[in-house]
Amino acid sequence: MGAEQPDAASGGRLPLLILTLLLMVAALTRLYGLEVQSLWNDELSSWGKSNHPTISRVIEKGVARDRHPPGYRLLLHGMIRGLGDSPTLLRLPSAIAGVFSVGLIFWLGTALYSWREGLLAAGLLTGSWTAIFNGQEATPNTLLLMLCLAKSLAAWKLLLGLQRDRAVLGPAIFYVLAAALT
């Protein structure tokens, strides 16, 4: 298990070109049609728990009665207060997280194995019906996936750095931030 990076010795620019194409497809499939359907049950629940006048009310009314961490509710609260509460805007954080997840799974696969496995994982996630569906919902599922991938990549980089007696401050900070947000 090496930390093979996509460079001239391991595939040239081809892996990054393919990744770019996968990211464009992921963006198209997750951003296309966000406004087509009205909000449904779980999305309305997310909206209702986040649509309060103040952050303290979101915590009191939307988070305290919910078993889930407050991060997603607070993110939606900021979106609603700053930009509005259209279905497109409420679904946008999930769509963006879905696209980032494709890139993160590529880098995780590349770090664990090689760029070939990274591209395979990114391709599978790009075309996954479940990932596309969740990436178009105003629910925390895709954000959780993105943060778990980021945390896993940071943990792997941290472990490699510790094993090789390298500086690990960057991966350690990234891991703590991703874990806290998760």
Side-chain angles (χ1 to χ4, degrees):
M1 288 194 229
E4 188 178 330
Q5 297 297 320
D7 58 15
S10 63
R13 295 184 180 162
L14 182 63
L16 294 178
L17 177 63
I18 295 171
L19 175 63
T20 302
L21 291 172
L22 290 173
L23 289 169
M24 290 186 335
V25 170
L28 286 172
T29 57
R30 283 147 181 86
L31 293 170
Y32 177 76
L34 289 180
E35 75 290 345
V36 171
Q37 296 180 5
S38 59
L39 298 175
W40 67 286
N41 189 19
D42 287 352
E43 294 177 306
L44 288 170
S45 175
S46 292
W47 174 82
K49 292 175 182 175
S50 304
N51 190 20
H52 295 284
T54 63
I55 290 175
S56 62
R57 293 287 293 196
V58 171
I59 300 287
E60 177 187 331
K61 298 287 186 184
V63 175
R65 298 176 183 164
D66 194 6
R67 294 185 313 257
H68 299 93
Y72 185 72
R73 307 288 180 237
L74 296 174
L75 173 66
L76 278 188
H77 172 76
M79 292 283 296
I80 292 167
R81 292 288 156 246
L83 301 172
D85 65 353
S86 73
T88 300
L89 289 173
L90 292 175
R91 293 173 177 145
L92 191 59
S94 293
I96 292 170
V99 176
F100 283 154
S101 294
V102 171
L104 284 168
I105 204 166
F106 167 76
W107 289 111
L108 182 59
T110 299
L112 292 174
Y113 301 104
S114 79
W115 61 267
R116 290 171 187 85
E117 288 81 2
L119 281 177
L120 177 62
L124 290 171
L125 188 60
T126 297
S128 165
W129 177 84
T130 306
I132 294 169
F133 181 80
N134 280 307
Q136 291 188 325
E137 286 190 322
T139 60
N141 302 337
T142 306
L143 205 61
L144 179 62
L145 171 65
M146 181 191 74
L147 290 170
C148 286
L149 288 169
K151 187 173 65 166
S152 298
L153 180 59
W156 182 252
K157 296 289 187 179
L158 179 61
L159 289 172
L160 283 180
L162 289 172
Q163 184 181 35
R164 296 175 182 163
D165 291 329
R166 292 185 183 165
V168 294
L169 184 59
I173 291 171
F174 189 65
Y175 176 80
V176 168
L177 285 174
L181 289 172
T182 302

